[in-house]
Amino acid sequence: MDNNTPVEWFGWFRPDILVEYKQLFWQGAAVTVGMTIACVLMGCALGLMLALARLADARHQPWTAVCKYLLRWPSTVYVSFFRGTPLFVQILLMHFAVMPLFIHPVNGWLISGDLARTLKQDHGALISGVVALTLNSSAYISEVFRAGIQSISAGQKMAGLSLGMTHGQMMRYVVIPQAFRRMLPPLGNNMISLLKDTSLVSAIGLAEMAYAARTVAGAYGRYWEPYLAVALAYWLMTFLLTVGLRKLEDHLARSDRT
């Protein structure tokens, strides 16, 4: 038997392809996980601010107009845009249109010169992907926060204020901790969706898992091996995330009963 003959499983599956490119797949998995963590954290922070902006209100002028025109309306337009347009289009728009305005070697609004050239060549796709996914996820997460905050009864808010708390203290110590328990399941769904949506960033050249699979498929002209491996990796990541979120929900439920 020729030693150069590739080993096949089940008569058609070639694991040697995956072994040869294992480093590329590991690097892609690391990029996927890192992007997901970064986008979830920044998306939650921005989503909370958007939710508070959409709920902002005041009894007296001029603060009523400030809340309406400078907080509620802009945040509503933001959420409507990012929820109403495809994420794939947002990634392309961010990478090819928006980011060159801010990071450009010649006339970047934020960064220019050699630093801009280096960032664009070495990390341009990563920056564009993280920004696009963060902005998109924050729009969905803001709706989760808004619904969770509104689910807390007005009586508990008034009780916090009657104890001498400021509005900020009441939100921090009374409303948001209770709302978080109710928001955890939909937040978990958003995290899982975000993890899978990172595969779209391969369209702009980021070397994550989907990009690795496409590279291997192009090199060998075989598609079962790389795409099945990537599908299994995504399934395993989402499964582990689901288990972790379920354990967190159980922990919070037990703490409520004690």
Side-chain angles (χ1 to χ4, degrees), residues 95-115:
H95 185 63
F96 295 108
V98 177
M99 291 308 295
L101 296 176
F102 293 92
I103 303 177
H104 194 276
V106 179
N107 52 1
W109 293 354
L110 187 62
I111 301 175
S112 60
D114 293 336
L115 178 59

Side-chain angles (χ1 to χ4, degrees), residues 170-187:
M170 179 268 295
M171 293 295 296
R172 179 180 177 183
Y173 295 110
V174 178
V175 176
I176 292 180
Q178 296 183 73
F180 179 74
R181 296 178 177 85
R182 304 179 184 183
M183 295 185 295
L184 190 57
L187 281 176

Side-chain angles (χ1 to χ4, degrees), residues 122-239:
D122 298 341
H123 307 290
L126 177 62
I127 295 173
S128 299
V130 168
V131 172
L133 289 173
T134 298
L135 295 178
N136 179 272
S137 63
S138 66
Y140 288 91
I141 291 173
S142 70
E143 290 297 276
V144 175
F145 277 119
R146 185 170 68 91
I149 292 173
Q150 288 180 325
S151 69
I152 304 302
S153 66
Q156 296 195 45
K157 300 176 184 178
M158 295 302 297
L161 295 174
S162 66
L163 291 175
M165 293 183 178
T166 64
H167 186 270
Q169 291 174 330
M170 179 268 295
M171 293 295 296
R172 179 180 177 183
Y173 295 110
V174 178
V175 176
I176 292 180
Q178 296 183 73
F180 179 74
R181 296 178 177 85
R182 304 179 184 183
M183 295 185 295
L184 190 57
L187 281 176
N189 291 334
N190 278 283
M191 293 178 191
I192 292 172
S193 297
L194 181 59
L195 173 63
K196 294 183 291 184
D197 287 341
T198 57
S199 61
L200 297 175
V201 188
S202 64
I204 58 175
L206 183 64
E208 44 74 63
M209 287 198 299
Y211 181 89
R214 193 171 61 191
T215 301
V216 175
Y220 278 90
R222 296 179 65 91
Y223 301 94
W224 280 106
E225 292 86 356
Y227 287 113
L228 275 178
V230 168
L232 180 61
Y234 276 113
W235 174 80
L236 181 60
M237 289 180 182
T238 55
F239 176 77

Side-chain angles (χ1 to χ4, degrees), residues 27-50:
Q27 292 175 353
V31 171
T32 297
V33 173
M35 282 188 62
T36 301
I37 294 174
C39 294
V40 165
L41 293 177
M42 292 187 292
C44 285
L46 182 56
L48 178 59
M49 289 189 290
L50 287 170

